[in-house]
Amino acid sequence: MQFDANWLQDCWDSRQFPQLTAEQWAWLIPRLRREQMLARLALRCQLLETPDLPDYARRHIQNACRLAHKQQMQVECEAELLQQLLADLPYCVFLKGAAYSLMSGALGQGRLYSDIDILVPQAQLTATEQALCLHGFIPDDIDPYDDRYYRRWSHEIPPLRHANRGTVLDVHHQIIPPISGRAPDLTRLLQNVRQTEQGFTVLSPEAMFLHSAIHLFCNEEIKHGWRDILDLCLMFEHPSQAPAPEKLLALATDTGFSLELALALRCVTELTKLALPEALNDWLDMQPTRPVLSWCFRQVLQPKLQQRWQVSLASFALTLRGHWLKMPLAILLKHTLYKLWRGGAAALIGDAALKAKKQQSN
Amino acid sequence: MSSIATLLTIVSRVLNVSTMPVQLSLPPFCFSIDTANSLVSENLRRLYPVEAFTQAALVDYHLQLLPGVGIHRFYHQQARFLCDGREPFTPLPAAHGYAMLEWGMNWAIASQEFSHVIVHAGVLAFGDHAVMFPAPPGSGKSTLTLWLAFHGWRLLSDEMGLLVPNSLDVLPFVRPICLKNRSIELAKQWLPDAVYSTICHDTHKGDVIHVSPPELSWQHKTRPAQLRAIVFPKYQAGSALQITKLNQAQAFMELANNAFNMSLLGQLGFDSALLLVEQLPVYQIQYADLSEVTQFLHEVLDAI
């Protein structure tokens, strides 16, 4: 048996896992943990119910499932608190991982993430930050340059961390950095929201798919590629909740993200066994194929079980592309120069000296 | 052959690339450690017994201590800690590498192991009767742990007590004891012959050193013990020994405050803590003289 990306993908698609020895599990489990996929795969393939599962595997899988379960409980609790706290805002939309969990379907099952993302109106950003701060969500201590960078160019404010519970909150006012020049008109996106059973606002199936696609295919650093492409796959898995093709295409065209949608649909069908609705296949046939870009994404969106040069090359190329897309050249250069200068200065006079200087100037 | 191996080691040191990872079996867990930081390797060899370096067990966590990236490879050299390829901390100066590795092992267990209730506590046993000392940093917990470990008690753990859920059983997780600042001098006065790591100066916790526990503790590294009491220690210079018995509610809250994963375990964690405070005597002590504490602990064990 060859334990490579294709083999693992087959296990995911078929929900079947072969019987492995303890040594084979010891090779596989750390790799799945790195992909943040151990719990998700275990729940999908019902690994804990497997007879003769070696103790080693059982313990690690149980650990992962307990962590996922706790995260599910915690996100519901945090979301309820946030909902109360931000009740006066015109909207507070839960995005990405937190939204998947709050919908309590296959998408959220075992899905791990490190922070809760919310989208609030830009006009109320300061008020939101103050309200959150009063209730224990404090920004981490970051470099003033980074703070300014966030506030001036980014689509979110610096992350807030709850002082007791440690929960990290990313407050967004846009879905993509405005500096990229591609930030869409949010009213179009906000026509596409729905309420979960417990009354939390999340994006509609179409907007959710598009947002995940934008997030993945405009990003300069893809850490958990396999997890993220499976998000997209799972959104189509249950026909009753799947994005409606016409609405999805219209939304992508109106917001200007047809390229990202095409990349997403192409990668998800090439990497998984998902069969797209006819209408989307027809549309995809008319889109430019972008073979190099698709190849790069395919490398980083597969589970990384072995070290492969293709993955390193593709990640490097996508990092360059991501930065290039995000910022106009002049700002990118300024940013790079600053980071280099700070790195150099820190190396020469020490990081502590720079920090001391910063504190004096405050 | 050995000269080729030496040559390879020298070349890899010069190039600062990693050598073959070593496997460190610390029951109930097993780590693989990959580092080119020679200070870290030396400290590992010095503090852990030879038998711990074995290929016999399956590796639970793959740890790496890598050099800094870019300019930090050469100037103001850094150490980066990775667990299964993920990097939970920001880099530290390379000289803090060994402490970082020990803290990283704590992180790996505290954030990913949920088969036990894990309490931030020293655990020591006299025979198989254990006392757990949960305490926040700066309470003098490790100094007390060190004292007892070198006075006839066996160390089960210095930082993390591994409790079997819904029972009084506690598992050993024998590792070096971590001392800070002034207790370093004290330890070297008391125990000039003990095995110490190099000192990591000026970490975020101040100066830090690790001490290998005595042979007795390593010999019984897989032998569980049964909890007989919980004691929350607080060192107070010049203080006579003051003992306060806690009621069950106080004991439960104090225990919860010092537990790493009780909330994560949910009902299981809650029930386990409840069982402990219902069945065990729980004390808070303030002390300056460790021999007074030892005497008190023997009285507690004898009374049961």
Side-chain angles (χ1 to χ4, degrees):
Chain A
M1 206 172 333
Q2 175 114 31
F3 297 119
D4 58 9
N6 291 330
W7 165 78
L8 193 57
Q9 185 62 51
D10 282 342
C11 294
W12 169 270
D13 289 324
S14 65
R15 299 171 188 256
Q16 300 283 325
F17 230 82
Q19 208 167 26
L20 301 183
T21 64
E23 286 73 21
Q24 288 169 328
W25 279 115
W27 182 85
L28 184 61
I29 282 176
R31 287 166 171 80
L32 290 175
R33 232 178 352 230
R34 182 183 190 165
E35 301 278 345
Q36 290 205 343
M37 279 294 297
L38 183 53
R40 198 179 212 186
L41 197 66
L43 292 169
R44 181 176 171 97
C45 302
Q46 299 190 312
L47 291 180
L48 285 173
E49 271 91 272
T50 316
D52 306 323
L53 188 66
D55 290 343
Y56 173 92
R58 185 171 300 280
R59 194 184 96 228
H60 283 288
I61 292 171
Q62 213 148 30
N63 284 339
C65 291
R66 281 184 172 154
L67 190 64
H69 177 70
K70 150 87 178 186
Q71 186 184 259
Q72 174 77 34
M73 310 264 284
Q74 187 160 6
V75 78
E76 283 171 22
C77 184
E78 295 282 355
E80 215 154 295
L81 287 171
L82 287 170
Q83 191 103 318
Q84 286 168 19
L85 235 147
L86 305 175
D88 292 340
L89 293 182
Y91 59 85
C92 168
V93 186
F94 290 90
L95 300 173
K96 295 190 280 187
Y100 308 157
S101 287
L102 293 172
M103 291 192 313
S104 57
L107 188 52
Q109 215 182 33
R111 171 66 154 82
L112 293 179
Y113 41 91
S114 45
D115 39 32
I116 296 177
D117 296 290
I118 56 171
L119 178 71
V120 301
Q122 186 167 24
Q124 271 95 350
L125 206 52
T126 312
T128 306
E129 200 179 348
Q130 284 166 350
L132 289 169
C133 206
L134 277 177
H135 288 82
F137 284 99
I138 317 286
D140 281 342
D141 190 19
I142 62 168
D143 180 13
Y145 173 86
D146 289 336
D147 188 72
R148 272 200 310 277
Y149 176 86
Y150 262 109
R151 288 173 196 282
R152 185 152 174 212
W153 305 123
S154 178
H155 55 312
E156 58 192 326
I157 60 174
L160 303 172
R161 186 186 301 272
H162 194 276
N164 294 124
R165 299 191 297 274
T167 321
V168 179
L169 195 61
D170 271 351
V171 183
H172 301 246
H173 56 83
Q174 248 299 350
I175 56 165
I176 183 170
I179 180 70
S180 66
R182 300 186 63 196
D185 177 9
L186 274 188
T187 48
R188 180 72 179 88
L189 199 74
L190 290 166
Q191 292 161 355
N192 289 275
V193 294
R194 57 180 150 160
Q195 304 287 316
T196 68
E197 277 171 30
Q198 292 156 296
F200 302 115
T201 310
V202 298
L203 294 173
S204 72
E206 297 78 24
M208 190 173 271
F209 188 90
L210 189 65
H211 177 235
S212 292
I214 295 168
H215 194 257
L216 193 52
F217 292 91
C218 289
N219 209 337
E220 72 275 8
E221 194 193 7
I222 297 172
K223 267 193 193 157
H224 304 106
W226 195 42
R227 180 197 69 178
D228 295 350
I229 196 76
L230 292 179
D231 286 346
L232 293 173
C233 175
L234 282 167
M235 287 182 206
F236 269 105
E237 211 170 55
H238 292 281
S240 64
Q241 286 161 25
E246 297 74 24
K247 275 196 199 167
L248 180 58
L249 294 177
L251 189 64
T253 316
D254 293 353
T255 50
F257 289 104
S258 301
L259 171 65
E260 283 72 18
L261 179 63
L263 282 169
L265 293 174
R266 199 158 277 142
C267 284
V268 81
T269 46
E270 279 168 7
L271 292 173
T272 74
K273 295 246 170 10
L274 178 75
L276 287 179
E278 199 69 23
L280 289 177
N281 271 328
D282 293 346
W283 177 79
L284 207 50
D285 287 342
M286 295 185 301
Q287 301 303 307
T289 50
R290 308 293 296 261
V292 179
L293 200 53
S294 293
W295 180 86
C296 285
F297 275 113
R298 276 203 311 277
Q299 304 308 313
V300 299
L301 298 178
Q302 286 180 26
K304 294 167 203 68
L305 295 182
Q306 280 91 5
Q307 285 229 332
R308 293 169 61 237
W309 62 267
Q310 292 93 329
V311 176
S312 317
L313 179 69
S315 318
F316 180 68
L318 290 176
T319 305
L320 288 183
R321 173 184 178 266
H323 280 296
W324 179 259
L325 287 182
K326 209 161 84 176
M327 282 187 253
L329 190 58
I331 295 168
L332 180 60
L333 272 177
K334 205 174 125 191
H335 184 61
T336 314
L337 278 175
Y338 174 81
K339 287 284 173 189
L340 277 177
W341 174 81
R342 202 181 187 287
L348 290 174
I349 60 171
D351 215 27
L354 280 179
K355 275 189 190 137
K357 217 166 126 191
K358 183 184 85 190
Q359 273 155 13
Q360 279 164 17
S361 65
N362 279 348
Chain B
M1 274 315 279
S2 71
S3 59
I4 296 176
T6 320
L7 191 69
L8 277 176
T9 317
I10 294 171
V11 170
S12 64
R13 292 263 167 86
V14 170
L15 295 175
N16 218 3
V17 294
S18 67
T19 43
M20 277 290 286
V22 295
Q23 200 167 314
L24 192 56
S25 170
L26 303 173
F29 308 112
C30 180
F31 300 93
S32 126
I33 298 167
D34 182 3
T35 182
N37 183 325
S38 51
L39 195 62
V40 173
S41 313
E42 277 164 34
N43 277 314
L44 277 174
R45 296 281 172 191
R46 199 188 305 173
L47 267 70
Y48 287 94
V50 175
E51 311 84 72
F53 297 91
T54 162
Q55 302 286 326
L58 295 171
V59 173
D60 292 305
Y61 298 100
H62 296 263
L63 313 181
Q64 288 170 288
L65 214 69
L66 301 180
V69 287
I71 200 156
H72 289 297
R73 252 183 120 90
F74 312 103
Y75 296 105
H76 283 267
Q77 292 187 350
Q78 288 182 335
R80 295 162 56 217
F81 171 81
L82 282 84
C83 175
D84 296 331
R86 292 177 296 163
E87 191 172 358
F89 314 127
T90 48
L92 291 182
H96 297 175
Y98 183 66
M100 189 182 207
L101 178 64
E102 288 285 342
W103 294 331
M105 286 192 222
N106 293 345
W107 175 87
I109 301 307
S111 63
Q112 301 179 91
E113 281 294 335
F114 312 115
S115 330
H116 312 100
V117 177
I118 305 184
V119 183
H120 186 239
V123 181
L124 291 112
F126 201 79
D128 287 333
H129 296 169
V131 179
M132 177 161 73
F133 303 93
S139 317
K141 166 177 66 69
S142 291
T143 317
L144 173 63
T145 301
L146 178 84
W147 173 269
L148 291 171
F150 282 87
H151 285 82
W153 294 61
R154 72 176 163 104
L155 174 82
L156 280 86
S157 56
D158 165 43
E159 288 277 356
M160 15 182 52
L162 302 181
L163 309 178
V164 178
N166 281 326
S167 82
L168 298 180
D169 295 336
V170 54
L171 298 185
F173 181 31
V174 181
R175 307 228 329 258
I177 300 162
C178 174
L179 297 175
K180 282 161 246 151
N181 302 319
R182 276 181 309 168
S183 46
I184 298 176
E185 267 316 295
L186 211 57
K188 289 197 166 173
Q189 276 172 27
W190 291 341
L191 309 163
D193 298 330
V195 181
Y196 296 89
S197 71
T198 47
I199 301 183
C200 295
H201 293 285
D202 301 321
T203 73
H204 65 286
K205 298 182 178 190
D207 293 351
V208 170
I209 203 169
H210 285 82
V211 193
S212 185
E215 192 53 35
L216 176 76
S217 307
W218 289 115
Q219 274 168 7
H220 294 292
K221 64 183 178 186
T222 56
R223 186 187 173 105
Q226 232 199 5
L227 279 179
R228 290 302 167 97
I230 300 174
V231 176
F232 293 94
K234 176 88 190 97
Y235 171 81
Q236 183 68 51
S239 167
L241 178 64
Q242 289 176 32
I243 303 159
T244 317
K245 195 163 195 302
L246 299 188
N247 67 32
Q248 291 182 2
Q250 291 166 324
F252 184 90
M253 287 316 292
E254 287 293 329
L255 199 57
N257 283 339
N258 287 288
F260 279 117
N261 62 358
M262 208 176 101
S263 72
L264 199 144
L265 291 178
Q267 187 76 39
L268 193 62
F270 185 89
D271 291 345
S272 302
L274 207 58
L275 180 91
L276 294 183
V277 301
E278 280 174 357
Q279 304 216 349
L280 297 176
V282 183
Y283 304 94
Q284 209 160 38
I285 59 168
Q286 191 174 305
Y287 63 93
D289 184 346
L290 287 166
S291 51
E292 282 179 8
V293 178
T294 316
Q295 197 190 341
F296 161 69
L297 293 173
H298 281 293
E299 282 165 18
V300 169
L301 289 188
D302 290 344
I304 297 163

